[in-house]
Amino acid sequence: MAISPRITSSQQKASSALNSSPEVREHFIIKGLGGKRQLKGTIAVRGAKNAALKILAAPFLFSDTLYVENIPQIEDIERLLDILKALGVSVSSHSSKYGFALALDATGTLQNKLPRVLAKRLRASIVLTGPILARTGRVLFPHPGGCLIGARPIDIFLDGFKKLGASVKEKNGWYDITAPRGGLHGATIRFVNPSVTATETLMMAAVLAKGKTVLKNVALEPEIEALADFLNQCGARIQGAGTTTIEIMGTPLLRASGKVYKTPPDRIEAGSFLILGALAAKDLRITGCEPSHVEALIDVLELAGVNVEVGDGTLRVKNNSHPKHFKSFDIKTHEYPGFPTDLQAPIVTFLTQVSGQALVFETIFEGRLSYVPELVRMGADIQVCDPHRVIVRGPTALSGHELESPDLRAGLACLIAAIVAKGESVIHNVYTIDRGYEQIEERLLGIGVDIKRITNS
Ligand code: EPU
């Protein structure tokens, strides 16, 4: 067992940084580099938010304690742990060789109603519904919240639950899902859209269903494969995760028997650091990442002329010339392995600094261009064509500004813009950035960024 039941002082410090909430108003002050290449050193990638959040929904599938490590210490994880505790899951934190670790035990008395306020704070709360329904036979939940990046319907989840035999009722903004007597049964479910969280939710629900479930046209994101691989090590029978069709043979409750899930590295964080390095670093090493997960980004950066060195678990971006010598390229976001929607805002920031005109087409969400006016105020030349498309013309010098972070990925794009810009920027609504990036300012300080976190009194 690689885990010991104690918390290190650095983890305690990080945990206290997690006491932030939308009510705690903080801002960043950044002194920009004015287009100079000055950043250097090494920056480490943390465990993937969108992998850790899903394994934290899995304890309901287990008859013993589930151990998880390399968990990013971020707001969304804290809020999901609050929900787990409210549902009766026992949670304890530990130190491990691979960072922050948790032991999660759902063997006691469990509740099946998600607390409204907490569930509405993050989209990932919906992933709990599959395992809770499969384990307890019923789940009640409000429409999930999360970043305001589009409509974010849940029809695929509801359709999947019905196909597994459950009844679905909706009243006053609450969903009440009940499994048939005898429990969920296997079914064939074809997704109208390859939704990431619906794939994870229905895959986990099917683990405890009777018989065989086939999920078709599902998402391929690496976090789904990591989840399935671990569940299989603990007794699940899932085949095809990472392809468009997943087959699950139902089994009794899983047993972890001390096995530890190591959260894979965050590919969106790695990609964002790569973009920052391409714009503002002389020589930046990104460690603890999985380069094959960001191939779609590496390909376009290389096409633009950026020098990226791919190592074993590392990326290095080493360039001497000004970004204006890089060439622009068009981007169309796509489900994995295409260009990720979560890197759309950082890549638009990149495109403002390089030469040429680019069409950026956000195909997944209709509300993911809300940061564009912020970049335009800084001096970027971006024309919004419709809620899905922008034309970016570069290079344009950016100047420091007061910015409002609209959501966590766009918030990081604002940070990158502020680092590149000339003069001082203030970024408000830091809470949105803390939702997804652990101690971001400490890591940026380590590579030479001039950044301060200010808590408003
Ligand atoms: N969709 C439906 N019906 C549904 C579910 C989804 O039509 O029932 C549509 C959505 O409206 C969207 C498309 O399907 O157009 C794909 O959405 P998806 O369900 O895949 O998104 P998600 O599962 O809610 C996850 C990540 C997002 C990431 C997207 C796409 C988590 C917790 N969230 O969201 O991450 O952008 O996949 O890769 O895993 C983030 O980390 O900042 C973030 C927003």
Side-chain angles (χ1 to χ4, degrees), residues 193-342:
N193 250 321
S195 158
V196 175
T197 40
T199 303
E200 293 154 337
T201 304
L202 295 171
M203 183 174 85
M204 286 198 274
V207 161
L208 300 185
K210 288 192 176 59
K212 181 171 162 181
T213 298
V214 183
L215 305 177
K216 293 187 174 176
N217 192 30
V218 295
L220 313 181
E221 269 65 4
E223 295 79 22
I224 299 170
E225 210 177 335
L227 176 64
D229 285 350
F230 182 75
L231 297 178
N232 281 342
Q233 284 173 39
C234 302
R237 291 172 63 196
I238 304 169
Q239 273 183 359
T243 75
T244 54
T245 302
I246 302 180
E247 290 189 7
I248 306 117
M249 279 304 295
T251 55
L253 285 174
L254 309 180
R255 281 195 72 76
S257 307
K259 287 184 204 69
V260 183
Y261 175 86
K262 185 179 173 208
T263 311
D266 197 311
R267 64 196 160 90
I268 304 304
E269 203 173 85
S272 305
F273 294 157
L274 198 54
I275 291 170
L276 174 63
L279 288 177
K282 275 196 243 180
D283 187 358
L284 182 69
R285 275 185 83 235
I286 302 162
T287 57
C289 59
E290 177 44 67
S292 66
H293 291 171
V294 281
E295 271 170 4
L297 172 65
I298 295 172
D299 284 354
V300 288
L301 290 179
E302 287 184 339
L303 201 68
V306 178
N307 173 27
V308 180
E309 288 172 26
V310 176
D312 182 16
T314 61
L315 287 164
R316 185 171 181 186
V317 58
K318 195 175 167 195
N319 293 275
N320 289 320
S321 55
H322 192 277
K324 69 182 175 204
H325 298 296
F326 298 146
K327 284 193 302 284
S328 202
F329 45 80
D330 291 344
I331 284 286
K332 190 172 173 182
T333 63
H334 198 278
E335 294 84 12
Y336 190 85
F339 192 91
T341 169
D342 291 341

Side-chain angles (χ1 to χ4, degrees), residues 146-152 341-342 364-370 407:
C147 287
L148 302 171
I149 55 177
R152 308 191 88 177
T341 169
D342 291 341
I364 315 281
F365 295 111
E366 64 282 14
R368 241 183 172 177
L369 298 171
S370 54
D407 65 71

